[in-house]
Amino acid sequence: MIDFGSVARELTEARKTGKPCPPPRGRLIPEGDVGSAYRVQQLQVREWLAAGQRRVGAKIGLTSRVVQESLGVYEPDFGVLTDAMAVPDGVEVALDRLLQPRVEAEIAFVLGADLPDDRVTTADLLRAVDHLLPAIEIVDSRVAGWDISIVDTVADNASSGLFVLGTTPRRPAEVDLRLAGMVLERAGEPVSVGAGAACLGNPLHALAWLAGTTARAGDPLRAGDVVLSGALGPMVAVTPGAAYEARISGLGSVRTCFTKEFLS
């Protein structure tokens, strides 16, 4: 029998101490048991909300076909975003808040209406999205060495860390999401490039998957939710002291930077 609380506590302890833990898969959760991994995720989210954090949306992971194939899975995963994970555009991030941070550029959807149905059309999505924003997700893992399967990342809230939203909202009709080009720079030098097509062929496809998945689970996406739709290019390990800027065609840019060392 799986001790869900024990798995959640181990990941929580890693988060608090800054010391990564071994992968839960095959040790605490059976290989491939994604349902149990989501139960572990939910326990942690409930603890955060009980402590006063506020749910503000969701993030989608595993939207790259190459990454899916490397993990032997054929659909994305998701995690929960809270207000404690939000970092303002351009504000320095203390490395103490993270364990093994990496950055990736994404398109964020901000919803203006609920998506309660488990089957949605493109028209449904376009009506529900109020605006788009450029985003940098600072992904992180509480699992040592990023040695993860889908079970490990789902249990670890889809390897979420922090997120940064740009401040240049655009309407969906103003942007060709599939062809939107992206360049992520570190100190002015490109370190990752890509386009909307890298995210399940179109970031709207990722949003459709999440809307249906959460509706079937009884916790649908709601007006005001921020949805990070998935990476537009390869994620990049964070260099201490470095500044990163992501530019996405039609959406503008977003920036983040990091302290040179752990402060504590």
Side-chain angles (χ1 to χ4, degrees), residues 141-167:
S141 180
R142 273 52 63 177
V143 177
W146 276 90
D147 178 12
I148 59 172
S149 71
I150 188 170
V151 165
D152 304 300
T153 185
V154 167
D156 193 23
N157 196 36
S159 301
S160 62
L162 307 171
F163 67 97
V164 188
L165 299 179
T167 56

Side-chain angles (χ1 to χ4, degrees), residues 202-239:
N202 187 316
L204 273 174
H205 298 165
L207 179 61
W209 173 84
L210 181 64
T213 300
T214 54
R216 284 188 291 274
D219 187 21
L221 296 174
R222 303 194 182 281
D225 278 352
V226 174
V227 177
L228 302 183
S229 57
L232 304 183
M235 64 181 177
V236 177
V238 166
T239 299

Side-chain angles (χ1 to χ4, degrees), residues 114-135:
D114 297 351
L115 284 169
D117 299 320
D118 64 355
R119 298 172 115 185
V120 293
T121 67
T122 298
D124 294 330
L125 297 175
L126 292 174
R127 282 194 297 267
V129 174
D130 184 75
H131 59 274
L132 313 169
L133 291 170

